[in-house]
């Protein structure tokens, strides 16, 4: 039996050498150790996940984008045994923000609740002036505690970018650009917030689409709203119809 176990360990070691970096993306699990790793995001949160270790955050995606600061949550998953008591884990800054003007605070401690298989790490970010003109990057790292270790196989760090303005929302597709709203621009999101009170999709429900588009275009015309630095009037009109 010992010979078989030793042979199995040798095989694993050889495979690790062969696959190298590829194995960093596979969370190896020791059944004797409970750990956490950065998981997938909650679709209801103002986050766009690019891949397993990178997310995009924008203040413009919040219900109230004019807040002074916001606590963003990053999902964390359990690999191991569900417990009947709360367990703590920690996060720390792995790489500082690119711009020294970016202000943030890690909310500690982070807790995996009793009976839970997932939790969130929290970081408060202030809407500083530098974020209004350029996206910044912060990289977090999970840190092991007496309760939970950090899975060190490519899921221990998480990079997220933060922006003070408006990202192009997922519903603003190429078809929307061609047929209804025209090209995306942050000023259009600001106008939607003023006129409609929301940056949600104004094309749904379908019976509200003409009403909303008329209200948006009327506001632009009545207030002579132009794209910054140009004499072009902002219009919510599909690109294929804009010159008709």
């Amino acid at each position: 039996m010992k010979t078989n176990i030793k042979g199995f360990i040798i095989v694993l070691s050889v495979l690790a050498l062969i696959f190298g970096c590829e194995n960093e993306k596979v969370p190896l699990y020791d059944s004797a150790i409970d750990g956490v790793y950065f998981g997938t995001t909650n679709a209801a949160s103002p986050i766009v996940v690019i891949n397993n270790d990178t997310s995009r955050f924008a203040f413009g995606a919040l219900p109230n984008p004019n807040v002074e600061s916001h606590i963003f949550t990053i999902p964390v998953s359990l690999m191991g045994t569900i417990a009947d008591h709360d367990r703590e884990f920690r996060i720390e800054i792995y790489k500082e923000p690119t711009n020294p003007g970016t202000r943030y605070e890690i909310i500690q401690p982070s807790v995996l609740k009793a009976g839970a298989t997932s939790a969130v790490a929290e970081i408060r970010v202030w809407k500083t002036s530098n974020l209004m003109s350029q996206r910044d990057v912060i990289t977090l790292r999970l840190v092991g505690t007496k309760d939970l270790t950090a899975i060190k196989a490519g899921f221990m760090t998480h990079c997220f970018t933060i922006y003070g303005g408006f990202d192009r929302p997922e519903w603003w597709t190429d078809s929307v650009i061609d047929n209804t709203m025209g090209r995306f621009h942050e000023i259009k999101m600001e106008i939607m917030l003023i006129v409609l009170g929301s940056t949600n999709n104004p094309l749904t429900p379908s019976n509200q689409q003409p009403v909303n588009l008329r209200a948006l275009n009327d506001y632009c015309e009545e207030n002579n709203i132009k794209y910054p630095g140009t004499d072009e009037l902002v219009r919510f009109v599909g690109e294929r119809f804009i010159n008709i």
Side-chain angles (χ1 to χ4, degrees):
M1 184 67 178
K2 290 183 178 179
T3 302
N4 289 339
I5 293 174
K6 184 182 292 184
F8 181 66
I9 293 173
I10 292 173
V11 169
L12 286 179
S13 300
V14 171
L15 288 175
L17 289 173
I18 291 174
F19 291 106
C21 293
E22 286 78 0
N23 270 2
E24 292 181 359
K25 291 298 180 183
V26 181
L28 305 178
Y29 172 49
D30 182 342
S31 59
I33 300 174
D34 294 332
V36 287
Y37 62 96
F38 286 116
T40 56
T41 190
N42 182 345
S45 65
I47 305 169
V48 176
V49 173
I50 300 174
N51 51 47
N52 284 334
D53 59 7
T54 304
S55 302
R56 292 169 63 92
F57 301 78
F59 278 88
L62 299 174
N64 177 13
N66 297 317
V67 294
E68 180 182 354
S69 66
H70 183 75
I71 296 178
F72 292 99
T73 59
I74 302 170
V76 173
S77 298
L78 168 69
M79 180 170 283
T81 307
I82 298 174
D84 60 0
H85 58 277
D86 292 353
R87 289 176 287 182
E88 290 188 6
F89 63 93
R90 297 184 65 83
I91 58 171
E92 66 180 13
I93 295 296
Y94 181 59
K95 291 184 180 179
E96 292 286 347
T98 307
N99 191 310
T102 300
R103 181 184 171 196
Y104 66 90
E105 175 192 13
I106 296 177
I107 309 299
Q108 300 282 24
S110 302
V111 178
L112 179 69
K113 294 290 187 180
T117 58
S118 62
V120 293
E122 297 180 320
I123 179 170
R124 180 183 292 276
V125 180
W126 276 261
K127 191 178 178 182
T128 50
S129 59
N130 63 291
L131 292 177
M132 299 307 298
S133 59
Q134 188 173 4
R135 185 176 292 276
D136 205 351
V137 181
I138 303 175
T139 305
L140 301 175
R141 176 168 58 185
L142 284 166
V143 181
T145 66
K146 63 181 180 61
D147 296 325
L148 296 164
T149 188
I151 302 299
K152 299 181 179 180
F155 292 81
M156 189 179 70
T157 60
H158 194 91
C159 171
F160 73 92
T161 64
I162 188 75
Y163 183 49
F166 297 89
D167 278 336
R168 175 176 162 179
E170 291 185 358
W171 58 262
W172 202 311
T173 62
D174 291 343
S175 176
V176 168
I177 291 175
D178 287 342
N179 299 301
T180 50
M181 302 278 285
R183 71 181 185 272
F184 172 78
H185 194 287
E186 287 190 67
I187 194 171
K188 287 187 174 180
M189 302 291 281
E190 295 175 6
I191 293 169
M192 287 168 53
L193 195 60
I194 294 171
V195 176
L196 305 178
S198 167
T199 56
N200 294 332
N201 187 352
L203 306 179
T204 58
S206 58
N207 63 340
Q208 278 296 114
Q209 177 175 323
V211 176
N212 289 339
L213 291 178
R214 172 61 64 87
L216 292 169
N217 283 310
D218 285 351
Y219 177 85
C220 293
E221 292 178 11
E222 292 168 4
N223 295 278
N224 196 30
I225 306 297
K226 297 180 179 179
Y227 290 106
T230 75
D231 290 326
E232 181 183 355
L233 185 71
V234 175
R235 296 177 66 192
F236 290 80
V237 180
E239 293 296 299
R240 66 174 60 182
F241 306 112
I242 202 164
N243 294 318
I244 296 176

